[in-house]
Amino acid sequence: MDLPANRGRWRRRSARSHVPLLVAIFFLLLPASLLLSSAYSSLLRSLLPFSASAPGSGGGGTLRCGRSAELEGERFLWYAPHSGFSNQVGELRNAAVAAALLNRTLVVPPVLDHHAVALGSCPKFRVAEPSDLRAAVWDHAMQLLREQRYVSMGDIVDLSPLKPLVKTIDFRVFVSLWCGVDMQKTCFSGLCCSVSGGGSLPSDYDRCRSLLSGLEGSESGGCVYPVQDDCRTTVWTYQENNDGALDSFQPDEELKRKKKISYVRRRKDIYKSLGPGNKAEDATLLAFGTLFSAPYKGSESYFDIHESPKDHRLQNLLEKIEFLPFAPEIMAAGTELAKSKIKEPFLCAQLRLLDGQFKNHWKSTFSALKEKLKSLEVEMKTNKNSGSVHIFLMTDLPRANWTKTYLADIAKDGKYQLYILKEDDVLQTAEKLMAAEHGIRSGFLPKIRGNTNKDCDPVQLPEILLYIEESVCSCASLGFVGTAGSTIAGSIETMRKNNVCKL
């Protein structure tokens, strides 16, 4: 907006009239400023989360991203996980592939609450913007911090298969070093406390949120490159020689007209787009939105890198991450419960009845279980086995709500013996798991400046019942019945395929 004419004239007169006074003040303060400049710039560097000069440059030189010199020279990859745990594991696998391809250190995120961050629908071309997803993940991570419920993906999932091929750093360590944000309230044990502390100012949290989210675009001289390509416009590929080609799945004409969609989906080579020779290559942090992908109508919704015959290192990684097991404490607990609590050969039934689309498909879910039980009964008669069928049940339907359902019929029928786990059954395992600090230990560790046995206010024990249930199901020698379309069922099938149970 233009200034009023009289105000503009006043500013010009005022500037001329004070020139002698300003010159005098300048010469009086110059010696003091020279004496204090070194101390002042040191103080400024300690207060600001992103110093404007590199260490040892004396105030000039290139931009240094982050507070800690220990991260100097490293380049990182960050992304925004979403939805349920199984989706988050799928995104972690894709992120590991992207980090390996782009030679970046993967920032391992926390486990998010179920559907705390929502993507939307790729097939319907209705998804949240990548910057909004990243901001939502940061906000939820800070909520987990405040409520002391933080648990890292590296605490739950065994990341050791990645170690030879992908460098990682826990989110807590990364933001405490890079942004100066104090993350000690996310810690359960001493090692985490000693490497996750920062000298936070209130502004550090907002600054870190803004940078990790890419809400201000590509800023700070290339510190952050926010990837804005999402599943509406892009399917990431590698070494397919079709960079820029149209993907086979496009919005249909009715959807274009109804939703006023102008998107065109193209297949893009991730290395050509974000690797050497591109602006993204120079950024210290490459920030994706979601990296979730799933098959749809002959195409992948976003990330289509499943094999790489030309790149043996990547092919090795793809084979290793096809299955990432749970942490050893979880796997051992599942095996022990199968041995000591159930003992007999058993069937595992995973019945997802309340969440999302599954609440409308009870009939088909129960039908699959009925068919399996009938076939087991026939088999037992053939083998002249008159005992009961042992069933390990995992379901999101509370027992109080079983009335007039097939589950109530099974529970009353003497032919079947049901086994169900409760959260109290796994508390001891949760404590062992958190004390192990796998998330912190699995990635980059800074120099420890304090006592690793220092006291800190421990986070709450995580709810690990679901993970141990999956582990128990991997031991079901009579087979497995899972809810069609459930990612949890898919996870159990993968565990069983990889023969993880060692009874």
Side-chain angles (χ1 to χ4, degrees):
M1 185 174 68
D2 294 333
L3 290 170
N6 60 341
R7 186 178 173 190
R9 285 195 300 272
W10 182 88
R11 294 183 91 179
R12 286 194 293 273
R13 280 200 309 273
S14 176
R16 285 197 301 270
S17 63
H18 286 80
V19 166
L21 178 60
L22 291 173
V23 171
I25 291 172
F26 172 77
F27 280 108
L28 284 171
L29 292 179
L30 182 60
S33 67
L34 290 172
L35 287 171
L36 293 174
S37 60
S38 177
Y40 175 75
S41 49
S42 297
L43 175 63
L44 190 63
R45 280 196 298 272
S46 71
L47 290 176
L48 292 177
F50 293 86
S51 172
S53 59
S57 64
T62 58
L63 182 77
R64 170 179 155 194
C65 290
R67 282 186 173 184
S68 175
E70 291 183 77
L71 298 184
E72 216 170 318
E74 293 291 331
R75 298 180 317 124
F76 303 93
L77 185 146
W78 162 243
Y79 68 101
H82 78 285
S83 297
F85 178 77
S86 297
N87 285 351
Q88 292 172 45
V89 172
E91 290 180 88
L92 178 67
R93 290 199 296 263
N94 290 340
V97 172
L101 279 172
L102 300 171
N103 194 26
R104 288 180 174 271
T105 298
L106 174 61
V107 180
V108 178
V111 177
L112 309 187
D113 290 344
H114 192 64
H115 289 312
V117 177
L119 170 65
S121 173
C122 285
K124 294 179 181 177
F125 291 78
R126 187 182 66 243
V127 296
E129 295 291 335
S131 55
D132 293 336
L133 283 170
R134 292 187 289 263
V137 170
W138 171 268
D139 292 342
H140 185 59
M142 293 303 103
Q143 179 188 344
L144 295 173
L145 179 149
R146 288 191 301 272
E147 296 173 1
Q148 294 184 279
R149 296 189 299 110
Y150 190 103
V151 58
S152 172
M153 285 295 291
D155 290 323
I156 304 299
V157 176
D158 184 359
L159 299 181
S160 60
L162 301 181
K163 263 196 169 181
L165 298 164
V166 183
K167 291 190 290 185
T168 63
I169 184 171
D170 192 89
F171 176 81
R172 293 166 289 186
V173 177
F174 177 70
V175 298
S176 64
L177 290 175
W178 204 60
C179 302
V181 169
D182 192 332
M183 296 293 286
Q184 288 191 9
K185 285 189 177 180
T186 63
C187 295
F188 187 85
S189 295
L191 177 61
C192 177
C193 284
S194 67
V195 298
S196 299
S200 298
L201 297 171
S203 59
D204 289 344
Y205 291 90
D206 292 337
R207 177 69 168 164
C208 201
R209 178 185 190 271
S210 176
L211 282 162
L212 291 182
S213 304
L215 290 170
E216 297 177 17
S218 185
E219 59 165 275
S220 300
C223 272
V224 181
Y225 184 90
V227 178
Q228 293 303 104
D229 303 80
D230 60 29
C231 61
R232 293 171 292 188
T233 61
T234 303
V235 179
W236 292 116
T237 64
Y238 179 61
Q239 292 185 336
E240 283 194 1
N241 298 320
N242 62 355
D243 185 42
L246 288 175
D247 186 59
S248 61
F249 175 66
Q250 301 288 341
D252 59 38
E253 293 304 319
E254 183 181 351
L255 188 62
K256 283 182 181 179
R257 188 170 56 254
K258 185 178 178 182
K259 299 292 183 180
K260 298 181 180 178
I261 287 175
S262 59
Y263 304 118
V264 174
R265 277 167 53 91
R266 294 191 180 276
R267 299 179 72 78
K268 293 177 69 172
D269 189 296
I270 194 169
Y271 190 77
K272 290 180 181 177
S273 298
L274 303 173
N278 293 280
K279 187 178 179 182
E281 170 74 3
D282 298 326
T284 302
L285 179 68
L286 179 67
F288 280 90
T290 179
L291 279 170
F292 175 75
S293 191
Y296 188 78
K297 290 191 175 180
S299 181
E300 279 284 345
S301 58
Y302 187 53
F303 199 86
D304 194 5
I305 304 173
H306 300 289
E307 60 178 357
S308 183
K310 301 176 189 175
D311 189 329
H312 297 299
R313 178 175 172 269
L314 180 59
Q315 186 61 40
N316 188 18
L317 173 64
L318 288 166
E319 290 168 4
K320 284 182 179 294
I321 66 167
E322 182 183 359
F323 170 63
L324 290 175
F326 288 118
E329 290 79 3
I330 293 174
M331 299 304 298
T335 302
E336 181 57 32
L337 284 164
K339 274 201 262 184
S340 61
K341 186 166 183 175
I342 306 175
K343 300 177 184 176
E344 304 288 339
F346 66 95
L347 169 75
C348 172
Q350 177 260 342
L351 307 179
R352 197 168 173 183
L353 300 168
L354 295 181
D355 183 41
Q357 60 171 318
F358 305 106
K359 61 189 175 186
N360 300 318
H361 297 93
W362 284 29
K363 186 175 180 181
S364 59
T365 300
F366 286 140
S367 177
L369 178 57
K370 285 178 185 177
E371 291 302 314
K372 181 64 177 178
L373 289 176
K374 280 181 184 177
S375 68
L376 282 176
E377 288 167 25
V378 170
E379 186 180 328
M380 289 175 71
K381 283 180 182 177
T382 302
N383 296 330
K384 297 182 180 179
N385 184 344
S386 58
S388 55
V389 178
H390 295 260
I391 307 169
F392 177 72
L393 179 66
M394 54 183 297
T395 181
D396 53 357
L397 185 67
R399 190 151 193 161
N401 296 347
W402 286 11
T403 308
K404 296 182 180 179
T405 71
Y406 183 55
L407 287 178
D409 297 338
I410 292 175
K412 289 184 289 188
D413 195 324
K415 292 184 297 189
Y416 309 117
Q417 177 67 50
L418 280 181
Y419 298 88
I420 298 171
L421 282 183
K422 297 178 182 177
E423 201 68 48
D424 291 346
D425 297 327
V426 300
L427 288 178
Q428 192 174 11
T429 300
E431 192 165 344
K432 285 181 184 176
L433 179 70
M434 295 305 286
E437 298 191 289
H438 293 301
I440 291 290
R441 295 178 189 275
S442 62
F444 170 86
L445 275 173
K447 292 176 184 175
I448 296 172
R449 301 179 180 82
N451 182 3
T452 59
N453 296 318
K454 68 189 288 187
D455 292 330
C456 56
D457 296 329
V459 295
Q460 296 180 38
L461 290 175
E463 295 181 359
I464 62 170
L465 180 63
L466 174 63
Y467 318 135
I468 293 183
E469 286 178 329
E470 289 187 31
S471 181
V472 172
C473 281
S474 72
C475 298
S477 57
L478 294 184
F480 169 66
V481 177
T483 303
S486 169
T487 52
I488 297 170
S491 173
I492 295 169
E493 293 280 16
T494 302
M495 292 174 73
R496 293 174 62 81
K497 176 184 170 184
N498 284 272
N499 299 313
V500 297
C501 181
K502 308 298 180 186
L503 283 175

